[in-house]
Amino acid sequence: MKLNTQGYRLICMFEGFSAKPYLCSAKVPTIGYGNTYYLNGKKVTLLDKPITELEAFEMFKAIADKFADKVSKLVTAPIDQAQFNAIVSLTYNIGPANFQKSTLLRKVNFNHNDPSIRAEFLKWNKAGGQVLKGLTIRRKAEADIYFGE
């Protein structure tokens, strides 16, 4: 599967745009739409020059597509487009390594309609060990999208 327009919009809405590098809630240098590295693999630093919104979206789309490819390989259950978008949004935020070892992935692959998957989304609401309101809101929205609400 691939992200569709709604999937790109979902992630961009939660990530927000920043032309200048900043420290995200996990204290990682970030730019554009939540990118912590550039297309060439170089990590973002706080000393990097600003980028345009177009540059940010092009970078975001290429990187989000890589995340979508990883999710597509890891999810073996017959999920729909909205479920895929929700999972890629989560993975874009937590990273593919965390998603790969998550209980959420195991539950999706075992029974993608299992209502307890909602609680698995909600577990990923911390940065630096602290519960963040913004992540809690994002995880609830992703779970709602996953379950078609």
Side-chain angles (χ1 to χ4, degrees):
M1 286 186 101
K2 303 284 184 199
L3 278 172
N4 65 4
T5 301
Q6 289 84 2
Y8 292 124
R9 286 181 182 157
L10 174 69
I11 298 169
C12 285
M13 177 186 72
F14 280 117
E15 293 294 338
F17 168 69
S18 178
K20 296 178 182 178
Y22 65 96
L23 285 178
C24 72
S25 55
K27 308 295 185 230
V28 178
T30 305
I31 198 166
Y33 290 100
N35 292 106
T36 58
Y37 60 92
Y38 296 97
L39 291 177
N40 64 6
K42 178 184 172 284
K43 287 186 175 188
V44 173
T45 74
L46 295 178
L47 301 176
D48 294 346
K49 67 179 180 64
I51 60 175
T52 67
E53 197 162 357
L54 179 60
E55 289 170 323
F57 186 76
E58 289 173 358
M59 181 170 61
F60 156 75
K61 189 174 181 306
I63 292 171
D65 287 346
K66 289 179 186 178
F67 279 66
D69 288 344
K70 289 178 183 179
V71 168
S72 194
K73 288 178 178 123
L74 292 170
V75 174
T76 58
I79 61 173
D80 65 26
Q81 185 67 54
Q83 291 170 319
F84 182 76
N85 290 346
I87 291 172
V88 175
S89 177
L90 171 78
T91 304
Y92 188 84
N93 189 239
I94 70 171
N98 285 325
F99 176 66
Q100 184 171 2
K101 62 186 178 186
S102 72
T103 303
L104 189 149
L105 174 61
R106 285 194 296 281
K107 287 187 175 197
V108 167
N109 283 338
F110 184 73
N111 174 8
H112 68 281
N113 293 315
D114 180 347
S116 71
I117 291 169
R118 177 178 296 282
E120 296 304 320
F121 272 98
L122 299 176
K123 288 179 180 178
W124 294 95
N125 68 343
K126 298 172 191 73
Q130 301 294 315
V131 172
L132 298 181
K133 183 179 179 182
L135 287 179
T136 301
I137 291 167
R138 180 175 182 163
R139 297 291 101 88
K140 181 182 179 322
E142 290 164 345
D144 287 349
I145 290 166
Y146 183 90
F147 286 104
E149 297 174 10

